[in-house]
């Protein structure tokens, strides 16, 4: 799903993100993306059995252990590991299955869509948020959005 309007709507309407594979190491892409989203008003729920907490949030062993409603399941795992996570996302009633940059499991995305979830592949939530809501301030980055105006509404 590369449609700008759809990505913008997903990030505007969904504010609870379970990050599967979130690392506690500050230099890892998962940590950087989760911290950015947390700083922009999103509730980030870490899912990684290695840790007790990350970014000041309790870390859960699996999606099934999360006691609250999850909107987006953001996956920082290898493509071949996505299917069981997609099945868990369906089981907990998530709204979106989001596979990070470099993660593409078409079968898992199709299964999620068939169950009523939206599915995003090979995109970073942090990059998309910055690109679509005016937070990407790096010179030379092609955001594919041609406008000098910021959106009238922000996701946070």
């Amino acid at each position: 799903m590369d449609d700008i309007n759809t990505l913008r709507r997903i990030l505007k309407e969904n504010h609870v993100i379970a990050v599967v594979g979130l690392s506690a190491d500050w230099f890892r892409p998962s940590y950087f993306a989760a911290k950015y989203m947390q700083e922009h008003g999103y509730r980030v729920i870490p899912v990684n059995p290695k840790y007790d907490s990350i970014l000041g949030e309790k870390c859960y062993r699996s999606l099934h252990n999360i006691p609250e409603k999850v909107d987006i399941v953001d996956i920082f795992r290898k493509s071949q590991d996505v299917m069981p996570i997609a099945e868990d996302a369906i089981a907990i009633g998530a709204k979106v299955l989001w596979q990070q940059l470099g993660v593409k499991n078409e079968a898992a995305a199709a299964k999620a869509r068939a169950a009523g979830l939206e599915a995003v592949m090979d995109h970073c939530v942090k990059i998309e948020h910055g690109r679509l809501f005016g937070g990407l301030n790096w010179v030379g980055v092609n955001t594919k959005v041609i406008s000098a105006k910021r959106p009238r509404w922000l996701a946070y």
Side-chain angles (χ1 to χ4, degrees):
M1 177 178 309
D2 293 338
D3 175 27
I4 287 172
N5 290 329
T6 303
L7 292 172
R8 184 178 280 142
R9 180 186 47 75
I10 287 171
L11 292 172
K12 181 184 177 207
E13 294 175 357
N14 300 288
H15 297 282
V16 180
I17 305 172
V19 183
V20 179
L22 179 56
S23 173
D25 296 328
W26 66 269
F27 52 86
R28 301 291 299 171
S30 61
Y31 185 92
F32 189 73
K35 183 172 175 54
Y36 172 92
M37 296 307 284
Q38 194 178 51
E39 289 175 354
H40 284 82
Y42 291 81
R43 168 98 164 89
V44 171
I45 302 171
V47 179
N48 191 328
K50 290 187 196 175
Y51 305 104
D52 292 327
S53 69
I54 302 173
L55 292 169
E57 296 287 341
K58 179 178 171 38
C59 197
Y60 294 92
R61 295 186 60 77
S62 76
L63 291 172
H64 289 288
N65 298 120
I66 299 172
E68 63 188 274
K69 183 82 171 123
V70 171
D71 297 324
I72 300 173
V73 173
D74 185 16
I75 304 170
F76 279 92
R77 299 290 308 272
K78 294 178 184 173
S79 296
Q80 62 265 27
D81 298 336
V82 172
M83 185 58 83
I85 298 165
E87 292 166 350
D88 289 349
I90 293 164
I92 67 166
K95 297 177 185 173
V96 181
L97 181 72
W98 191 299
Q99 299 178 52
Q100 275 292 330
L101 279 175
V103 182
K104 293 182 193 177
N105 187 317
E106 292 282 354
K111 188 168 192 167
R113 285 187 193 104
L117 280 74
E118 294 190 84
V120 178
M121 290 187 299
D122 196 26
H123 284 277
C124 174
V125 292
K126 182 242 177 273
I127 291 171
E128 294 305 326
H129 184 275
R131 178 171 81 101
L132 300 171
F133 297 103
L136 195 60
N137 298 318
W138 302 329
V139 175
V141 174
N142 180 4
T143 64
K144 298 180 187 171
V145 176
I146 301 170
S147 175
K149 296 181 182 178
R150 288 186 178 228
R152 290 188 186 154
W153 47 264
L154 296 175
Y156 53 92

